[in-house]
């Protein structure tokens, strides 16, 4: 299965759409750094896997349409397959919530989402349908795509255990290792479950022991319940119950000892004790009421004296109120007369004051001739006559008499009110005393007979009543205590009374003991069986791991000649001329270590990434990648994607690597990117097509702006003669 073409929109460094023909055997993509060469490689990887190296996702920041989509066409013999992936929710701003939906078109069939991923997993990665898509996709990308940033990662960025796991995935043993790991995990869970099950045996054992102990105790109790001494105490207790019952119920003299009789007699004791307690509670309430000191009765002479004084105060109050009313009327009369006369005088004074300002030989009011001096004196007399202090004094004296009369009336009212209140209080106190006496007498009559004697009206005496109640209460308490003791004694007959039930319980305990013993034996057998299964699972997991690791080791051993050939073709180091991949086991884990060998001096280096220069390490990494691809790849894509892998190589190593790529070209479709125009020309010459069935194209990125790169595709001419001789 080969790549045919790719269409990129809004992805990486491409804002608008670009279309690139990838159907040639060798496609060399050349352009300055930042023009978008890596974008093309990442787009191929992304459309197949949905995985992108950036946490922000592949979306281009300048895309005008807001769309991110990549469509990749492949040729599988005569079938054209289109794999597309696009943003399913372009309105979502957060990259973590983007949905990159894959689509696969095979003939007329169109698959989307999970169905498309399954088709890629089975038909391109050639993995099993139930395998995890992310791990399958990662393994597939590592096998066909050599990124710039991961060029030396295999040598220096990975642990030797991770290298072994990656190679195991390439050679197809990853699934077997995963199965072994899962089996090991399930085995651990199985062991925990067995341990938990074994922990359940202890409670079962304890329950079996408890049941056995209960049966032994119950059997001893049954034996003791049949003794003559117990039956004698039973007869004595029954007779005692007959003597304390308060009802007239006819109890048997010598009843049989059984649960029904015991329950009935104990009910008699409980009922009797309850009745005694109720009567004692009533007596305690009465006694508490009798002992409360009653309100003393007031003196009759005092009551009569208060009544007489209240009547006298009422007469004095009426007299004072009448005097107050008379003084108020007199004051109002004088006040009214004074106000009326004062108004007339004020009017005359006002008129006289006005006329004084116009005094002449004639009157300003009537126009008659007047004696000017006498007329002015008369007017002045009228003005001065407006003030009558004698009348004002009379009004003030009347007001003082009214106030004094009002004060005397208030004092009389207050005195009368106080006497009335005292009279009412004495009456209430007398009524309360009489009510208390009647209530206590009634309570004593309610409790009759006390001490067997009825109480009549002539016998009522509070002090005597208190003594009678106290005596009765003491007798009730003694009887209640005796009944309580009798009730407690009845408990010793419970086990004997329930003898028949005890025998039934023994039978039930025997059945429970047998069932518990069987359950315990079954559980122990199950634990033993599970232990054996766990041992077998442990052995199986170990054998699976060993087989998988042996298979990987065999495949690595078979790869050694191809790796040695590729490394020798590049020849990156003057002394370390040989490379091997060593597998070893340490701390229960298999490890993979690349080793450089100086055969002349017998020196071996187990850490090439720290020994070789950057250029030499890159050459070794490329040799490893190419050998893994040709030797191990199980994917349907027969292609290689090399993203600027020839950086930091000197001219000799560069020529060696290009020659190596020329040897591989007939076996793999190759896409190689570079920023070096000279190297692109060299690869165009070295990897030029030979024969009509092969093609080599140059894809040149001529510029870059916010819309993306400018693309120019050139077909490298076919060379009919594979060998050319050039004369100097």
């Amino acid at each position: 299965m080969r790549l045919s073409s790719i269409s990129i929109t809004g992805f990486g460094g491409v804002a608008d759409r670009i279309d690139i023909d990838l159907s040639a055997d060798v496609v060399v993509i050349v352009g300055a750094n930042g023009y978008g060469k890596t974008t093309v490689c990442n787009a191929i990887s992304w459309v197949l896997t949905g995985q992108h190296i950036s946490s922000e996702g592949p979306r281009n920041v300048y895309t005008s349409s807001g769309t991110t989509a990549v469509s990749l066409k492949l040729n599988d013999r005569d079938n054209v397959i289109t794999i597309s992936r696009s943003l399913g929710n372009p309105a979502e701003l957060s990259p973590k919530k983007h949905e990159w939906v894959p689509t696969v078109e095979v003939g007329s069939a169109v698959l989307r989402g999970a169905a498309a991923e399954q088709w890629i997993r089975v038909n391109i990665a050639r993995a099993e349908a139930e395998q995890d898509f992310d791990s399958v996709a990662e393994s597939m990308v590592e096998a066909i795509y050599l990124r710039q940033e991961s060029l030396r990662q295999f040598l220096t960025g990975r642990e030797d255990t991770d290298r072994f796991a990656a190679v195991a995935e390439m050679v197809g043993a990853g699934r077997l290792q995963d199965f072994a790991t899962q089996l090991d995990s399930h085995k651990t869970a199985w062991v925990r479950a067995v341990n938990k099950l074994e922990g359940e045996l202890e409670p079962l054992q304890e329950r079996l022991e408890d049941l056995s102990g209960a049966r032994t105790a119950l059997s001893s109790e049954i034996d003791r319940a049949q003794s003559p001494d117990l039956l004698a105490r039973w007869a004595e207790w029954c007779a005692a119950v007959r003597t304390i019952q308060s009802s007239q119920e006819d109890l048997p003299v010598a009843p049989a000892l059984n649960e029904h009789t015991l329950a009935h007699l104990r009910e008699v004791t409980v009922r009797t004790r309850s009745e005694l307690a109720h009567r004692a509670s009533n007596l305690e309430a009465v006694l508490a009421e009798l002992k409360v000191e009653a309100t003393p009765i007031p003196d009759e002479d005092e009551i009569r004296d208060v009544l007489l004084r209240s009547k006298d105060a009422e007469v004095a109050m009426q007299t004072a109120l009448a005097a107050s009313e008379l003084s108020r009327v007199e004051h109002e009369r004088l006040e009214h007369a004074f106000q009326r006369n004062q108004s007339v005088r004020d009017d005359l004074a006002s008129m006289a004051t006005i006329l004084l300002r116009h005094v002449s030989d004639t009157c300003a009011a009537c126009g008659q001739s007047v004696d000017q001096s006498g007329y002015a004196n008369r007017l002045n007399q009228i003005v001065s006559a407006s003030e009558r202090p004698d009348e004002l004094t009379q009004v003030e004296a009347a007001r003082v008499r009214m106030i004094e009369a009002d004060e005397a009336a208030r004092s009389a009212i207050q005195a009368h009110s106080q006497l009335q209140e005292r009279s009412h209080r004495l009456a209430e106190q007398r009524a309360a005393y009489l009510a208390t006496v009647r209530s206590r007498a009634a309570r004593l009559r309610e409790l009759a007979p006390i001490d067997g004697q009825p109480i009549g009206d002539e016998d009522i005496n509070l002090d005597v009543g208190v003594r009678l109640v106290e005596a009765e209460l003491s007798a009730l308490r003694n009887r209640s205590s005796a009944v309580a003791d009798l009730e407690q004694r009845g408990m010793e007959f419970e086990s004997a009374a329930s003898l028949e039930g005890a025998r039934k319980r023994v039978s039930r305990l025997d059945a429970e003991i047998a069932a518990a013993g069987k359950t315990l034996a079954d559980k122990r057998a199950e634990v033993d069986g599970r232990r054996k299964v766990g041992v077998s699972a442990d052995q199986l997991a170990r054998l699976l791991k060993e087989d998988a690791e042996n298979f990987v080791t065999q495949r690595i051993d078979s790869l050694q000649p191809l790796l040695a050939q590729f490394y020798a073709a590049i020849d990156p180091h003057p002394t370390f001329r040989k490379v091997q991949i060593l597998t070893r086991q340490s701390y229960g884990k298999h490890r993979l270590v690349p080793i450089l060998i100086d055969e002349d001096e017998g020196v071996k280096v187990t850490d090439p990434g720290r020994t070789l220069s950057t250029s030499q390490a890159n050459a070794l990494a490329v040799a490893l990648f190419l050998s893994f691809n040709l030797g191990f790849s199980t994917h349907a894509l027969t292609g290689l994607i090399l993203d600027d892998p020839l950086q930091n190589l000197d001219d000799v190593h560069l020529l060696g690597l290009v020659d190596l790529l020329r040897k591989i070209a007939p076996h793999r479709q190759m896409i190689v990117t570079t920023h070096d125009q000279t190297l692109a020309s060299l690869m165009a010459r070295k990897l030029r097509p030979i024969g009509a069935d092969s093609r080599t194209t140059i894809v040149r990125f001529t510029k870059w702006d916010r819309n993306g790169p400018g693309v120019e595709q050139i077909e490298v001419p076919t060379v009919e003669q594979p060998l050319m001789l050039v004369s100097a």
Side-chain angles (χ1 to χ4, degrees), residues 300-372:
E300 293 293 334
D301 294 337
E302 182 183 4
I303 293 175
R304 285 192 296 273
D305 178 63
V306 171
L307 289 175
L308 291 175
R309 288 171 60 193
S310 177
K311 291 179 180 179
D312 293 342
E314 184 176 3
V315 172
M317 179 184 68
Q318 296 297 334
T319 302
L321 288 172
S324 173
E325 183 63 25
L326 290 174
S327 64
R328 184 178 300 281
V329 171
E330 177 64 16
H331 175 264
E332 289 177 353
R333 184 185 65 76
L334 291 174
E335 177 73 20
H336 180 69
F338 175 78
Q339 293 294 338
R340 184 177 66 251
N341 294 335
Q342 184 65 34
S343 177
V344 173
R345 287 192 294 271
D346 289 344
D347 291 343
L348 292 174
S350 297
M351 183 181 69
T353 301
I354 295 171
L355 292 174
L356 279 173
R357 291 198 296 269
H358 304 283
V359 173
S360 64
D361 293 338
T362 60
C363 177
C366 62
Q368 296 180 2
S369 298
V370 296
D371 179 11
Q372 184 175 358

Side-chain angles (χ1 to χ4, degrees), residues 185-446:
S185 175
H186 290 314
K187 181 209 67 176
T188 302
W190 180 270
V191 171
R192 285 198 296 268
V194 173
N195 291 337
K196 181 181 178 181
L197 187 63
E198 189 173 22
E200 296 174 359
L201 295 179
E202 184 175 351
L204 291 175
Q205 180 66 40
E206 291 177 354
R207 172 169 170 72
L208 182 60
E209 293 174 357
D210 291 342
L211 291 173
S212 300
R215 188 194 184 286
T216 301
L218 195 57
S219 299
S220 301
E221 189 175 338
I222 291 173
D223 294 339
R224 289 195 301 272
Q226 298 173 344
S227 64
D229 181 58
L230 182 67
L231 295 177
R233 290 197 302 273
W234 163 256
E236 179 186 352
W237 183 77
C238 292
V241 172
R242 293 179 73 254
T243 61
I244 58 95
Q245 67 166 336
S246 57
S247 64
Q248 300 301 319
E249 181 181 358
D250 186 18
L251 297 177
V253 178
L257 177 56
N258 54 50
E259 289 183 340
H260 174 73
T261 304
L262 177 62
H264 179 65
L265 293 178
R266 292 185 68 181
E267 182 182 352
V268 170
T269 61
V270 171
R271 184 173 63 249
T272 302
R273 185 164 57 85
S274 176
E275 292 171 353
L276 293 174
H278 180 69
R279 180 166 176 78
S281 177
N282 289 337
L283 287 175
E284 288 173 352
V286 172
L287 185 62
E289 183 178 346
L290 293 177
K291 287 186 176 181
V292 174
E293 185 176 355
T295 304
I297 187 170
D299 185 63
E300 293 293 334
D301 294 337
E302 182 183 4
I303 293 175
R304 285 192 296 273
D305 178 63
V306 171
L307 289 175
L308 291 175
R309 288 171 60 193
S310 177
K311 291 179 180 179
D312 293 342
E314 184 176 3
V315 172
M317 179 184 68
Q318 296 297 334
T319 302
L321 288 172
S324 173
E325 183 63 25
L326 290 174
S327 64
R328 184 178 300 281
V329 171
E330 177 64 16
H331 175 264
E332 289 177 353
R333 184 185 65 76
L334 291 174
E335 177 73 20
H336 180 69
F338 175 78
Q339 293 294 338
R340 184 177 66 251
N341 294 335
Q342 184 65 34
S343 177
V344 173
R345 287 192 294 271
D346 289 344
D347 291 343
L348 292 174
S350 297
M351 183 181 69
T353 301
I354 295 171
L355 292 174
L356 279 173
R357 291 198 296 269
H358 304 283
V359 173
S360 64
D361 293 338
T362 60
C363 177
C366 62
Q368 296 180 2
S369 298
V370 296
D371 179 11
Q372 184 175 358
S373 175
Y375 183 54
N377 290 334
R378 176 60 180 164
L379 291 175
N380 285 325
Q381 289 175 358
I382 292 174
V383 171
S384 61
S386 64
E387 297 179 3
R388 296 292 299 273
D390 53 342
E391 289 184 9
L392 185 62
T393 301
Q394 290 176 2
V395 172
E396 183 63 26
R399 188 181 70 81
V400 171
R401 287 193 299 273
M402 180 189 68
I403 292 173
E404 290 174 350
D406 288 345
E407 182 66 29
R410 280 195 296 271
S411 298
I413 291 172
Q414 183 177 6
H416 178 263
S417 176
Q418 289 175 351
L419 287 171
Q420 285 282 80
E421 182 179 355
R422 185 176 180 189
S423 176
H424 291 157
R425 190 165 58 249
L426 290 173
E428 290 175 355
Q429 186 175 353
R430 184 175 183 278
Y433 173 78
L434 294 176
T436 300
V437 171
R438 285 194 295 271
S439 173
R440 294 181 178 182
R443 291 287 282 163
L444 284 173
R445 280 195 296 272
E446 288 174 2

Side-chain angles (χ1 to χ4, degrees), residues 283 286-291 440-441 443-445 447-448 450-451 455 459-473:
L283 287 175
V286 172
L287 185 62
E289 183 178 346
L290 293 177
K291 287 186 176 181
R440 294 181 178 182
R443 291 287 282 163
L444 284 173
R445 280 195 296 272
L447 295 173
I450 295 180
D451 198 20
I455 297 177
D459 297 327
I460 293 177
N461 182 290
L462 294 182
D463 293 336
V464 174
V466 168
R467 289 194 296 273
L468 290 175
V469 171
E470 288 178 343
E472 178 69 10
L473 185 59

Side-chain angles (χ1 to χ4, degrees), residues 70 128 146 234 367 387-388 559 665 682 698:
V70 176
E128 296 182 12
L146 181 61
W234 163 256
E387 297 179 3
R388 296 292 299 273
L559 185 71
L682 175 63
I698 302 293

